[in-house]
Amino acid sequence: MTSTVQTTTIALVGNPNSGKSSLFNQLTGLRQKVGNFPGVTVDRKVGKMKLSNSQDVQVIDFPGTYSLYPNSEDERIVAAAFCDLDEAHRLDAIIYVADSTHLEKHLLLFTQLHDLGYPMLLALSMNDIAVREGIAVDQEKLSEELGVEIIAFDGRTALANAEIQSAIERLLEQPEHTQQKPFYSFSEAEKEVITAIKADVNTKNDYQALLLAHHQNWLPHLRETQRSSIQQATEKVDFQSLKWQIRETMQRYDGFNTIVRKVFQRVGEDRTFSDRIDQILTHRFWGVLIFFALMLLVFQAIFAWAGYPQDAVEEVFGWASTQLQDRLPDTWYTSLLTDGILPGLAGVLVFVPQIAILFLLIALLEEVGYMARAVFLFDRLMQHFGMNGRSVVALISGGACAIPAIMSTRTISDWKERLITIMVTPFISCSARIPVYVVLVAFVVPAGKVGFISWQALAFMGLYLLGIGTAFVAAWILKKVLKAESYSFLLLELPKYRTPRLRDVALTVWEKVKSFVTEAGRIILIVSMALWFLASYGPGDKMEIAEQNAVEQAAERNLSSEERDNLIAAQRIENSYAGIVGKAIEPVIRPLGFDWKIGIALVTSFAAREVFVGTMATIYSIGSEEDEYKIQEQMAKEKHADTGQPVYTMAVAWSLLIFYVLAMQCVSTLAVVKKETNSWKWPAIQFIGMTILAYLASLLTYQILS
């Protein structure tokens, strides 16, 4: 078969956990990029490789799937690709990757693709594990039975790379994939449908015609005339899609199970090392305990290890800002660079350590084979809330940062479950809220203890539990509101435990970090520059007059140079556009107990929650956000100008705490939600919904405590 497109394209296809991605990394290395399949948010990995004859080949790593009868968005991507009638999109060949230790579970999809008429190469993975477990596969006999060339590869090394490339060259030289006998025999009714469809639709393959009949309702590439022709063909017979799918699947299993029995041999006990470990790791009690211990380590690593590189990023950018301020003239573009662009870049790069550490640890657990066990362990519980086992990882990771947590939902194949997880993850209190909690909890909660646990620690825990509880309630509501086309169920193969492939882990971390910096980073930088403008400029000459008044007040009060600068900064921000916005929203937030200064902090902290403390330090002329005691002391002294009553009562502080627990965390989170859902619709719904909920809860808190 000769491709009608100039670039030769090979598909890598296989079941989940088959070793497919490892082969993809081995063939393409860093010559790969990640995008989305058209119209969906599922990752599409495309790489390039050069054969020994200098031929360039494009390799597409399709999502792992079990069958061409899909049950998830991932599987639909694969089914749609092989049902595409456009010759320009037709693939030149398929490399099918199968786990040699679970051969009988990996051949269903192989036989379906085989019947589509593509040139195919069967690549057997996990051969080192097969040897260790006493499994032997007669590759020569298997090749003869299946009618394709077979090659074994080791995903941890590139030793077989030349052999694989030679096999690919031989594969591409095949003019047409010929079959001695298809793996599936059509019934008379199926033959009638196939004949009718082939008469009206441009397909030469019988099995593809049958797939079109099964998937006519949802295939994105079908034109209306084609869909109408297929529908007419199915209406002429008693077309029973589910019944025929079951018949086909059973017949295929009967066929290739006979082949597997001929070529597959196990020496030694059937109970493997993985089976013995699973008795503990999937235990209802010990398994859950071990999982939370591991997630605690992941959380601690993100929280503790990321602190050092994050501090380094902030110090480098702080030093760069100081150097530029000392060397550049005092102009607007210097201010834009040092107060807008550099902080924006720092706000992007400061998240990189957390993202890198999270995906490093998650990738290691995935490579080892543990994450599939965690999914199995928690799936039943999470299904009650419209999520699945993989959602647990995202929710726990959200305690460190919502950004990498939301990115980790890519492992959730079902659209509805993934969307619900994305929508509720920001309710989990992230580490950026800790500075806000520290200031406000210490302000309203006494320093006493209950036994060895302080009241303030209990308040902290209460805030986290409030966020977690709200997340699950919101998930349950979304489960009832969102409509799914089909009921979700767990189809999962527990892979063998194996040593992590460090090359694959490194490429995964690199891919996730690069994706965040290039995609979400752009939005964060733009918003940071906008916030700089709002805080640096005001209408007319109000800012200059405010600065002059601050200088005069400082002289009258005999303030030091540092106190004078702090007073100037406070007066300037009050008269800036940010200050105007704060005063403009004061009538709206006044029922919550907030004044315009808190309003400014709400606006500026949308860049990042920790900005709240720095904004309050600036407004109250303290200068250093690190001196939390001074901030609390000044907050205690603050009074309303019109009533003379204290601004920060216990009711106001708790109202503000509840607002920060339930409101959208930051613009960075919205940017990532937009990227992961490929739409502004869901982040808009998320932002509006969380804001309304935070407002009402804060209002209720203030009114009750007042």
Side-chain angles (χ1 to χ4, degrees), residues 60 84 96 107 113 121 149-150 152 162 248 272 298-299 335 350 365 414 486 533 558 561 571 611 634 647 654 687 697:
I60 300 178
D84 195 341
Y96 188 85
L107 290 182
L113 296 173
L121 172 68
E149 182 177 356
I150 295 176
E248 176 190 334
T272 65
V298 171
F299 178 82
S335 177
V350 78
L365 291 173
D414 182 78
S486 60
F533 176 81
N558 228 0
S561 59
Q571 293 285 347
V611 173
Q634 187 61 41
V647 172
W654 276 112
F687 174 74

Side-chain angles (χ1 to χ4, degrees), residues 406-417:
I406 289 172
M407 292 173 68
S408 73
T409 62
R410 295 175 181 180
T411 60
I412 302 173
S413 59
D414 182 78
W415 170 84
K416 180 178 177 180
E417 293 172 343

Side-chain angles (χ1 to χ4, degrees), residues 439 595 597-598 600-602 604 611-623 631 634-635 648 656:
V439 171
D595 66 354
K597 295 181 180 180
I598 298 177
I600 294 176
L602 293 178
T604 57
V611 173
F612 169 84
V613 179
T615 303
M616 300 303 285
T618 301
I619 292 174
Y620 294 137
S621 309
I622 295 169
I631 297 175
Q634 187 61 41
M635 287 166 58
Y648 289 95
L656 191 54

Side-chain angles (χ1 to χ4, degrees), residues 124 127 136-144 148 150-152 263:
L124 293 180
N127 298 283
V137 177
D138 187 339
Q139 295 183 22
E140 185 176 342
K141 181 68 174 176
L142 182 61
S143 176
E144 180 185 334
V148 298
I150 295 176
I151 188 168
V263 303

